Amino acid sequence: MFQFEICANSVESCVAAQEGGANRVELCAGIPEGGTTPSYGEIAVARELLTATRLHVIIRPRGGDFLYSSVEVKTMLKDVEIARSLKVDGVVFGCLTEDGEVDKNAMRQLIEASYGMSITFHRAFDVCRNPQKALEEIIELGCDRILTSGQQANAEAGIPLLKELQTQADGRIILLAGCGVNEKNIVRIAKETGIQEFHFSARERIRSNMKYKNECVSMGGTVHIDEYERNVTTAKQVRATIHALMP
């Protein structure tokens, strides 16, 4: 009845998602930017190691907005081609116009290039001007699902719109509730919206094994993060969230 997708930031997270019982992963790089296209190597190794869990890959050339130039669309098309060559199960992308509408021209190009793979319109949907109109256009374009938090900071806050969109979709497209979904709120989101697919990260903080540390230097320049700590999906957290909904 339910499907669970893990937002995986590495091959390590993909493997943990599979061990924890996830139905699929969305492999992303650049998580602090909301997810960008992972490397060829990451996709290839994830494909090799995922045998029971489907592999979807985000196609997003940069962080920031979803208004893409012709060169960026060309890059995205090449990334779709690479994803296909590596036999991924699905791709995840979304394009908007400067007015916050679905960019149907760019989407058609990407959808045509993605033929035979599952297609998810990602959270570009959450910053579009008119979600009800966008839903109809994305259905017409032929996407399989929409990843959305209901245009709010997290899916729990977006419950009212998620419920409305689920009713409007009426089985014509899958809504994938994502952002901030965890073992504490997944039951509420499912009950109040009727949505049956969920996207979450199930990550825990892991400290570096480095013994020598020079914490005066930041690799991110103006973006300061703890470079001796990283967030990784764990099988334990995946299981806990799934079991909250399916004890």
Side-chain angles (χ1 to χ4, degrees):
M1 180 177 179
F2 297 106
Q3 293 280 300
F4 303 97
E5 175 181 281
I6 301 302
C7 178
N9 59 354
S10 64
V11 174
E12 183 180 358
S13 289
C14 288
V15 172
Q18 178 171 252
E19 183 182 343
N23 301 102
R24 64 176 178 268
V25 300
E26 180 199 12
L27 179 59
C28 307
I31 294 296
E33 296 179 291
T36 55
T37 308
S39 74
Y40 182 103
E42 283 267 295
I43 301 170
V45 177
R47 178 68 291 169
E48 177 185 338
L49 298 179
L50 291 180
T51 56
T53 296
R54 296 188 297 279
L55 173 62
H56 288 197
V57 171
I58 192 170
I59 306 296
R60 187 176 178 222
R62 57 167 171 78
D65 63 36
F66 304 98
L67 175 64
Y68 297 117
S69 69
S70 59
V71 171
E72 287 174 324
V73 172
K74 186 174 183 179
T75 300
M76 294 168 78
L77 289 168
K78 181 60 69 173
D79 283 333
V80 169
E81 181 182 322
I82 289 170
R84 177 189 294 284
S85 74
L86 292 172
K87 303 187 186 309
V88 307
D89 300 296
V91 283
V92 182
F93 49 76
C95 308
L96 301 178
T97 69
E98 63 183 7
D99 294 318
E101 305 286 345
V102 175
D103 186 339
K104 290 186 278 189
N105 180 52
M107 286 297 298
R108 286 190 185 103
Q109 294 180 64
L110 290 164
I111 289 168
E112 181 178 356
S114 305
Y115 180 79
M117 293 185 282
S118 180
I119 300 170
T120 300
F121 192 103
H122 60 40
R123 291 190 65 221
F125 181 86
D126 286 326
V127 291
C128 73
R129 180 187 296 273
N130 184 326
Q132 292 81 9
K133 178 184 177 184
L135 176 69
E136 296 299 330
E137 292 176 340
I138 293 167
I139 290 171
E140 183 180 353
L141 283 165
C143 294
D144 296 290
R145 68 181 53 78
I146 299 171
L147 170 59
T148 174
S149 63
Q151 296 206 324
Q152 296 297 321
N154 58 68
E156 189 171 16
I159 283 174
L161 182 58
L162 290 173
K163 180 179 180 180
E164 177 186 339
L165 293 172
Q166 178 73 352
T167 299
Q168 181 183 341
D170 193 26
R172 295 175 296 157
I173 194 169
I174 297 165
L175 290 187
L176 173 62
C179 189
V181 175
N182 57 51
E183 69 273 20
K184 296 178 181 177
N185 60 26
I186 192 170
V187 172
R188 182 187 173 207
I189 296 168
K191 286 184 175 179
E192 296 189 22
T193 66
I195 287 173
Q196 297 179 326
E197 293 204 3
F198 300 91
H199 171 99
F200 51 96
S201 61
R203 294 189 199 113
E204 295 185 22
R205 292 182 178 181
I206 306 296
R207 292 299 299 174
S208 169
N209 290 324
M210 288 289 295
K211 293 180 179 178
Y212 171 76
K213 301 177 182 179
N214 181 356
E215 300 189 47
C216 296
V217 178
S218 171
M219 296 296 108
T222 58
V223 179
H224 295 284
I225 62 173
D226 186 341
E227 286 159 349
Y228 297 100
E229 180 179 272
R230 58 198 177 96
N231 292 324
V232 180
T233 297
T234 65
K236 179 182 72 174
Q237 283 298 109
V238 174
R239 289 193 198 99
T241 307
I242 292 174
H243 289 172
L245 191 58
M246 299 176 61

